[in-house]
Amino acid sequence: MSESKSDGGDCTGHHVAVTEPEVEALVRGICFKTGPPRAVGVELEWLVHEPRRPRLPVTPERLEAVYAALRAVSLGSALTVEPGGQLELSSPPAASLMECVGTVSADLATVRAVLAEDGLGLLGIGHDPWHAPRRFLRQPRYDAMETCLDRTGPAGRHMMCTSASVQVCVDAGHEEPGPLGHERRWWLVHHLGAVLTAAFANSPLIGGRPTGWMSTRQLLWMEIGSGRAGAPPLDGDPRATWARHVLDAPVMCVRRDSGPWEVPDGLTFREWTRSRSPRPPTRADLDYHLTTLFPPIRPRGHLELRMIDAQPGDDGWIVPLAVTAALFDDPVAAEAAHRIVRPLAGRTLNLPAPHNPLWTDAARRGLADPELREAAAACFAAALEALPRLGATTEVTDAVAEYRRRYVDRGRCPADDLLDRLHGTEPPRRRPGPTGGTPTARGRKDVRT
């Protein structure tokens, strides 16, 4: 669902300083807004490329021109640009799965038409397989982010400039216990997230070479570190553990109304509220701080699932959206998903996601991991039973069923296709239907999608 990415035009807004207890109370109120699950959303990131010459970088001038043209068209979703020039569409909250699919599909058709006028297209893949990170946006926000993330190595620049994802957004859930209760959903998403990582892994290459990981994008998030890109422990009330995590997370930057932003080293938000230096933090600083934390599941009133790689094909994004919505918002499927992933919990060693063995195996092996493959098969079966109850069309359920047949039942994920194409071992396959799937790529050794 759409999110504002302010570049600090009102850095010191809400001028009254916030105290540590106030921050904890605000985070508890902001991040988990409970009630019956009614809305669903999706945020789609895409690499922009030239389909006829995909290895040739798109120049900044062409990107600037095409984004200027896109800003002139009417879209139902929010269109934003990522630091490396990736395009992001963020849907408004939708009252149903099919409303969400309809809005975003129409917007994508409009976007693709504008891009095609300049010979450009959208590439659905979790990490650019050819190009090194290159900044497109030069703004104080991203200058500070780059400086901060560089302290932990090159992973941050890759995430900023060469990665893309499908981020599914679901409501936090009921206050009361049960399969749709917010505590159950918080636990479920941190275990089911590993299954989704494995099932939709689609980023095995950097610089045209295999990395040894099916989801290199998820590996890079892990390398950024637990303070910035990790989840809190699951040993308590979600509101309390997330509030502690926010307070103890490092501050990325101290924004200013003019000039470069200060990038402190090791200053947590808790310490900032106590020291009140280099200036006292305000409510606006807290709001911004929340946008600089990148756990695999980010509570923003709703739950934002960030672990799914961008998917191949014009409509490949619909499958993870449909599967996730079914497993979270249909009570029968949610109960089944909880039961399916419970045996996987021991593999976490009680360590927060994604820095535990379960998530590491999911990113490294995908569905070649037997337990993850078994869990994915059961989850897809539960989702397929639930989708008609959520009003999904035959085209959507058929796309999910085809994905299960092509990938899950065979212990594969889209990353396997990319590796097969690289090595020239891709078997012939029938052309996909109008929803889901990837274009045919017989006889090529590049990694087009």
Side-chain angles (χ1 to χ4, degrees):
M1 288 179 257
S2 61
E3 167 189 3
S4 173
K5 294 185 178 179
S6 169
D7 197 33
D10 185 20
C11 297
T12 54
H14 306 287
H15 289 278
V16 177
V18 290
T19 65
E20 185 178 334
E22 288 171 339
V23 169
E24 183 171 3
L26 284 167
V27 172
R28 283 171 172 262
I30 292 169
C31 294
F32 287 91
K33 296 177 181 178
T34 53
R38 292 195 177 104
V40 65
V42 69
E43 300 173 18
L44 303 179
E45 296 171 343
W46 302 86
L47 303 177
V48 177
H49 75 141
E50 186 174 338
R52 292 174 299 175
R53 297 182 294 174
R55 295 175 186 265
L56 185 67
V58 180
T59 65
E61 292 76 17
R62 287 183 76 186
L63 287 176
E64 287 171 1
V66 77
Y67 284 132
L70 284 170
R71 283 191 285 271
V73 301
S74 177
L75 299 172
S77 303
L79 187 146
T80 52
V81 182
E82 294 298 299
Q86 309 99 306
L87 181 149
E88 180 176 11
L89 278 179
S90 301
S91 76
S96 70
L97 169 63
M98 292 314 303
E99 179 184 317
C100 183
V101 169
T103 297
V104 178
S105 295
D107 289 340
L108 280 171
T110 300
V111 167
R112 288 193 173 98
V114 173
L115 292 174
E117 291 178 2
D118 193 32
L120 297 176
L122 299 177
L123 177 63
I125 191 170
H127 187 279
D128 191 314
W130 307 292
H131 305 125
R134 180 189 63 170
R135 283 270 303 284
F136 170 67
L137 296 181
R138 295 291 172 181
Q139 299 171 1
R141 167 189 173 92
Y142 297 120
D143 292 343
M145 182 181 291
E146 184 175 272
T147 299
C148 177
L149 295 181
D150 277 352
R151 290 171 179 160
T152 57
R157 292 196 183 206
H158 281 270
M159 291 314 309
M160 291 174 66
C161 301
T162 53
S163 71
S165 67
V166 174
Q167 298 176 19
V168 181
C169 301
V170 296
D171 282 328
H174 289 284
E175 189 70 28
E176 300 80 12
L180 300 184
H182 79 283
E183 291 190 10
R184 174 78 72 89
R185 286 160 80 86
W186 185 242
W187 184 93
L188 173 63
V189 73
H190 284 89
H191 294 84
L192 180 61
V195 179
L196 298 174
T197 297
F200 296 108
N202 188 36
S203 52
L205 306 170
I206 289 183
R209 298 176 181 273
T211 63
W213 293 72
M214 291 299 184
S215 179
T216 303
R217 175 180 163 276
Q218 187 58 53
L219 166 66
L220 294 167
W221 277 124
M222 291 188 284
E223 290 182 341
I224 288 173
S226 58
R228 181 73 53 202
L234 297 179
D235 58 356
D237 170 69
R239 291 188 178 95
T241 57
W242 179 248
R244 285 197 300 270
H245 184 74
V246 169
L247 277 162
D248 292 331
V251 173
M252 177 172 284
C253 54
V254 177
R255 301 178 298 159
R256 301 187 183 282
D257 289 320
S258 61
W261 297 356
E262 184 171 345
V263 184
D265 190 0
L267 176 70
T268 69
F269 206 91
R270 189 187 303 277
E271 292 166 343
W272 193 10
T273 63
R274 294 175 178 178
S275 69
R276 302 168 69 85
S277 176
R279 60 169 175 78
T282 66
R283 167 65 187 272
D285 291 316
L286 172 61
D287 292 343
Y288 184 79
H289 177 62
L290 291 170
T291 72
T292 68
L293 304 181
F294 309 115
I297 301 94
R298 186 162 61 176
R300 298 175 51 220
H302 56 272
L303 303 179
E304 179 186 78
L305 283 68
R306 304 172 54 84
M307 75 291 297
I308 301 170
D309 284 351
Q311 295 296 289
D314 288 354
D315 301 322
W317 58 274
I318 294 175
V319 175
L321 169 63
V323 169
T324 304
L327 295 176
F328 277 90
D329 290 349
D330 180 83
V332 176
E335 187 64 39
H338 189 271
R339 186 170 58 252
I340 291 163
V341 302
R342 182 176 288 279
L344 299 175
R347 290 176 61 177
T348 69
L349 304 181
N350 292 321
L351 298 173
H355 300 90
N356 64 51
L358 176 64
W359 281 72
T360 298
D361 291 342
R364 188 195 300 272
R365 303 185 63 196
L367 293 188
D369 182 291
E371 285 188 293
L372 288 168
R373 175 181 179 179
E374 181 180 356
C379 285
F380 266 70
L384 281 166
E385 290 182 3
L387 282 171
R389 297 193 291 267
L390 295 182
T393 61
T394 301
E395 288 79 9
V396 169
T397 57
D398 285 350
V400 174
E402 171 63 14
Y403 193 97
R404 180 179 69 169
R405 182 201 65 77
R406 180 176 169 187
Y407 293 117
V408 179
D409 291 348
R410 300 166 62 199
R412 289 173 60 88
C413 55
D416 288 296
D417 290 350
L418 294 173
L419 294 171
D420 286 348
R421 294 175 204 176
L422 181 70
H423 299 303
T425 58
E426 183 183 27
R429 64 178 185 269
R430 63 186 178 87
R431 184 172 295 275
T435 303
T438 58
T440 303
R442 295 186 183 90
R444 294 200 301 259
K445 290 189 179 183
D446 62 4
V447 233
R448 302 173 193 238
T449 59

